[in-house]
Amino acid sequence: MNRVLFFALLRVSLATTTVAVLPVGADSAESPAACDLRAVVQVAAGQPLGQCRIVPLSLGAGQPKAFLAVYAEDVTVDPFEEMFFFPKDTLHLMAFTEKGEVLWKHDLGRGVVPGIWFCPVFPFDLDSDGADEVWLVGNPDVDHPLTVIKRRLERLDSRTGKVLGHWPWPPADRYQSPSYIYRNFILGGHVRGKPVLVTAQGTYQAMALQGWNADMTRRWEVRIAKDAPGARGSHMCPVVDINDDGVDELLWGERCIELDGGKELFCADRDTWHAHSDVVQPVWNPIERRWLIYTCREGTPNVAPRVVVYDDRGQRVWGDLDKGHIDAGWVARVGGNERMAFAIRIGGKSAGPQGLVRRDVEEFVYDVFTGKPRTFPVNLLGTIPVDLNGDGIHELADGSSSGEGRVFDMQGRPCGRFTGAVAAASKVLDLPGEQLMTYTREGTITIWADANAKDNEAAQWRYRHPFYKANQRLTATGSNRNNLGGL
């Protein structure tokens, strides 16, 4: 889609959703660049939305850009016993194009619990034919949604939604908490240009990972016993070629596992850290031209520090905070070579049909390369870094609810508005800048673009990077919505 078509779209009925720019505070030294957000793609799910994941979907050469929405009327159902509730709805898939055309819908049925840990979804071209397959954890037994032995890895046609094949889902240890059993991941990367699919189970205790070839023969398997030394997993599963050797690695918590043979390259703080980190995020250091790893720790309260940055060999660079549950965080580009890291410490949280509620929230901000504490003028909980105007510096989209969302620049000044909760943010259209993908409770899915955007060299470098392409496909598996902020 070129700029001429873009502005033509803005003159049709969607132009009524043009967004006014928020006023800038009188104490600002200068006005921030206005993000004139426009709804350029809009689709009706046909039902209320309590949860929605959105991910790019490749239909093959010569086909329009497409997207996959994974949604249900209920908010996401967590397998932790104190958070689990019986959903009213089933989990649905919907493929649609950049023109708003719905290609197909697929109801996964009563056998699949509508939650990201029960059913990860991952578009990935494993057979290298140019079109993605849609990979997910399915269950044909509609009467037993908590079955272990009948769950299966399913492969769907991205053009039609039809099931192309299925294989038994590698079972977890059945004799453990449901919160441990139903933590599933699907992801993928490349080994010297060839795709490798990865399935994984577990986060908190016993864990297992499997690598798959294009013909669905098992390439490797890694099993980590519950009493094995070293870190547990994470709610994130970023893929990065951390040593630039043409073989992607998976950051499974503080473990770095290469995807060729499943070999562990390192496990950071193996002797002292045996719990899991809520956040594990690769961060590119443009000065030293290497990757760092930003982590935020939960569990084992007596182990310090709780916010830690490692280098590309798993050696600690800096750490902060000696206690607490560090529950969420991200990294964003501030400008030039500067990067900002954000984390929250909570006193507790609960979840149910009304959604997730955190208590006693404290926010912390750092220079990610030095660990020096910083301050920020607005609350950051619920924000996601996104470069809407294409200047190589992130804005922060606060879209944690399905109502009105706000955009701030990296000085905390308001610079735009949109509608809906943010499902994902990355460059998914042939338009300048990155785009926001949102959904409303009423059932509207929207892709927003900044009419003032213009991509500079720094932004274009990010879009071309293999890390960018690999991780923008992870927004329907695990808690990977913020992965791209570290690049």
Side-chain angles (χ1 to χ4, degrees):
M1 186 186 299
N2 57 34
R3 292 183 66 88
V4 173
L5 180 56
F6 171 48
F7 287 107
L9 282 172
L10 303 183
R11 290 192 291 269
V12 298
S13 60
L14 290 182
T16 60
T17 61
T18 298
V19 182
V21 176
L22 288 167
V24 177
D27 57 345
S28 299
E30 58 182 89
S31 298
C35 292
D36 188 6
L37 293 179
R38 311 290 183 96
V40 294
V41 180
Q42 205 160 55
V43 177
Q47 67 167 76
L49 298 179
Q51 62 173 281
C52 184
R53 309 170 234 162
I54 304 174
V55 62
L57 182 67
S58 176
L59 303 178
Q63 299 299 312
K65 290 184 180 295
F67 308 90
L68 183 67
V70 185
Y71 58 92
E73 180 176 350
D74 305 276
V75 299
T76 192
V77 183
D78 193 282
F80 177 44
E81 299 93 314
E82 305 306 319
M83 294 184 177
F84 179 87
F85 62 92
F86 290 104
K88 297 180 294 183
D89 195 13
T90 55
L91 195 62
H92 307 265
L93 306 181
M94 177 174 66
F96 62 95
T97 71
E98 62 185 332
K99 298 179 181 179
E101 175 190 5
V102 175
L103 299 176
W104 52 266
K105 291 185 177 182
H106 185 55
D107 186 340
L108 296 182
R110 302 298 302 179
V112 176
V113 180
I116 199 166
W117 309 117
F118 290 96
C119 183
V121 180
F122 182 57
F124 189 60
D125 183 10
L126 184 61
D127 60 10
S128 300
D129 68 349
D132 288 335
E133 304 89 50
V134 176
W135 301 87
L136 58 88
V137 179
N139 174 24
D141 188 346
V142 297
D143 295 323
H144 301 98
L146 299 183
T147 179
V148 173
I149 61 175
K150 295 180 182 179
R151 302 175 80 82
R152 65 191 195 183
L153 174 66
E154 294 187 0
R155 173 181 177 175
L156 277 58
D157 188 313
S158 62
R159 300 184 184 94
T160 65
K162 293 182 178 179
V163 177
L164 298 175
H166 57 83
W167 300 263
W169 182 253
D173 179 359
R174 299 179 64 180
Y175 302 101
Q176 56 181 337
S177 161
S179 184
Y180 302 160
I181 294 174
Y182 303 106
R183 301 282 172 178
N184 300 311
F185 299 79
I186 308 175
L187 58 131
H190 290 82
V191 174
R192 291 177 285 274
K194 294 185 178 180
V196 175
L197 185 73
V198 179
T199 52
Q201 306 83 36
T203 298
Y204 303 129
Q205 289 192 355
M207 303 178 292
L209 304 95
Q210 305 84 27
W212 303 91
N213 295 309
D215 61 0
M216 289 308 295
T217 56
R218 187 172 295 185
R219 186 184 186 105
W220 50 262
E221 183 172 29
V222 173
R223 289 195 169 271
I224 302 168
K226 66 179 181 181
D227 56 353
R232 301 299 93 185
S234 172
H235 302 307
M236 301 173 70
C237 53
V239 174
V240 56
D241 184 0
I242 203 164
N243 52 11
D244 196 29
D245 65 350
V247 176
D248 281 336
E249 283 81 38
L250 162 66
L251 294 182
W252 188 249
E254 282 81 351
R255 299 173 192 266
C256 183
I257 300 172
E258 54 84 18
L259 298 191
D260 189 5
K263 178 183 177 182
E264 183 182 286
L265 299 187
F266 61 79
C267 179
D269 283 344
R270 184 191 301 274
D271 296 332
T272 59
W273 180 242
H274 305 140
H276 82 282
S277 293
D278 278 343
V279 174
V280 174
Q281 182 167 12
V283 184
W284 178 250
N285 185 330
I287 301 172
E288 299 182 0
R289 299 190 63 78
R290 64 171 181 166
W291 290 98
L292 300 176
I293 305 168
Y294 174 64
T295 67
C296 297
R297 291 174 163 180
E298 183 187 350
T300 318
N302 59 332
V303 176
R306 310 301 287 173
V307 176
V308 190
V309 168
Y310 302 98
D311 68 13
D312 55 358
R313 296 184 179 182
Q315 300 301 308
R316 190 185 297 178
V317 177
W318 62 266
D320 191 37
L321 304 182
D322 60 359
K323 61 182 179 180
H325 175 176
I326 313 302
D327 188 60
W330 46 247
V331 175
R333 297 170 65 100
V334 179
N337 292 326
E338 189 176 4
R339 304 291 183 268
M340 186 178 87
F342 160 64
I344 65 167
R345 180 164 59 191
I346 63 172
K349 64 181 177 181
S350 59
Q354 304 308 314
L356 177 67
V357 178
R358 295 180 172 93
R359 301 186 302 275
D360 302 323
V361 176
E362 301 174 81
E363 298 193 355
F364 302 89
V365 179
Y366 304 93
D367 180 301
V368 76
F369 298 140
T370 67
K372 182 179 178 180
R374 298 183 50 167
T375 60
F376 203 79
V378 298
N379 291 333
L380 295 171
L381 179 61
T383 61
I384 178 172
V386 53
D387 184 8
L388 292 166
N389 58 18
D391 65 355
I393 300 172
H394 281 119
E395 289 78 49
L396 301 174
D398 182 4
S400 53
S401 72
S402 61
E404 183 178 75
R406 300 176 297 169
V407 179
F408 301 93
D409 69 6
M410 288 306 294
Q411 296 183 43
R413 301 173 301 184
C415 59
R417 289 179 180 166
F418 59 93
T419 301
V422 177
S426 67
K427 190 177 185 70
V428 295
L429 296 172
D430 292 331
L431 296 172
E434 293 184 316
Q435 290 83 47
L436 282 176
M437 289 157 273
T438 70
Y439 63 98
T440 65
R441 179 64 188 168
E442 294 72 27
T444 301
I445 294 172
T446 305
I447 301 179
W448 302 83
D450 181 7
N452 296 330
K454 184 178 181 181
D455 288 328
N456 65 12
E457 184 177 345
Q460 293 173 7
W461 176 85
R462 290 184 68 236
Y463 309 149
R464 294 192 301 266
H465 201 285
F467 174 83
Y468 194 97
K469 297 179 182 300
N471 285 268
Q472 73 174 160
R473 291 184 172 274
L474 289 173
T475 50
T477 184
S479 298
N480 293 296
R481 193 185 67 158
N482 294 327
N483 281 13
L484 298 179
L487 180 65

